Each structure stands twice: as structure tokens, then as C-alpha cells.
Amino acid sequence: MTPFGAKVRSLRRARGITMKRMAGDLEISQAFLSALEHGHRGRPSPALLVQICEYFHLIWDEYEEMHRLARLSHPRVVVDTRGLDPARTELANLLADKIADLEQDTVDALLKRLKNAQPVAKRPRTRAL
């Protein structure tokens, strides 16, 4: 399940709306909505994202949060480590290999650490004369 799918499901259930009803109201198939909630579909299109936000009458912070979650909800992530140091490439590969087996507390700790990480200042490039 993706963060966006989990949020949609939570909002839908909190309001007592069935998947069938919501899909009908949004004029999408129930199968598509189910796939979106379960993370079998990636990010929603920008138009569908706005439609979902309007469906739940989301404003300001909630609206921005849904957009943020949608950006973070692609179930097949590609990490390009070209040009980065070997440790970063190793990290990306280990995470890809082990993510399904991590304990939830480890996932939570990694998420917290990464969300709070400050970007490293980039060194100025030197030019050969």
C-alpha cells in the first residue's frame, strides 16, 4: 500500500463511504480505485488528485498533504546513483534488497531519520586551467 492509497482509504472509511460509491461518484472503476488504495497503481494523475481532494472537501494543509503523499507514492522507485560515492550506491541497493524484510520499528526509525536529514552542502567544482 502506498502512503496516498492509505490516506484515501482512511478518509473514505472515516466518512463511511464504500469503495463502490466513491468510484461511481468519481466516475472511475471500482477496480481502479481499489488498485490505487492498495498500491497496485502508482501516483494518481493531477486531475484525479484534485478530484479526490475536492471529493473529500479538503482544504489548505490537508490538500497539500494529499499532494505530498501522491508524490511519495510511486510503488516502483528507481534510484539513480550515477556520480555518487560507492556508499550511497551500496545504501540504495541494500535498501532495495532488504526493504520487505525490515521490522516496522526499523522502517519508522529510518523514515524519521531521512525526513529530518539536512542536505550536505555541495562543494564548489574546480575548473582545470
Side-chain angles (χ1 to χ4, degrees), residues 37-64:
E37 282 191 8
H38 287 92
H40 300 295
R41 297 291 288 196
R43 297 178 197 120
S45 69
L48 180 57
L49 178 55
V50 169
Q51 194 177 2
I52 290 170
C53 288
E54 289 176 356
Y55 184 78
F56 289 121
H57 306 290
L58 303 181
I59 58 170
W60 307 109
D61 293 342
E62 292 177 312
Y63 187 88
E64 289 178 12

Side-chain angles (χ1 to χ4, degrees), residues 71-113:
R71 283 191 306 275
L72 297 173
S73 291
H74 200 292
R76 293 189 51 89
V77 177
V78 175
V79 180
D80 184 357
T81 62
R82 286 178 290 185
L84 300 179
D85 64 77
R88 284 172 169 76
T89 299
E90 181 180 8
L91 173 63
N93 281 279
L94 281 171
L95 186 58
D97 187 48
K98 307 234 181 237
I99 195 164
D101 300 324
L102 295 175
E103 297 286 335
Q104 188 60 47
D105 61 333
T106 302
V107 172
D108 294 341
L110 286 170
L111 273 171
K112 183 177 180 181
R113 179 82 186 241

Side-chain angles (χ1 to χ4, degrees), residues 1-2 5 9 19 29-42 75:
M1 185 173 285
T2 64
R9 175 181 276 184
M19 189 177 291
S29 74
Q30 187 174 342
F32 181 85
L33 181 57
S34 176
L36 190 63
E37 282 191 8
H38 287 92
H40 300 295
R41 297 291 288 196

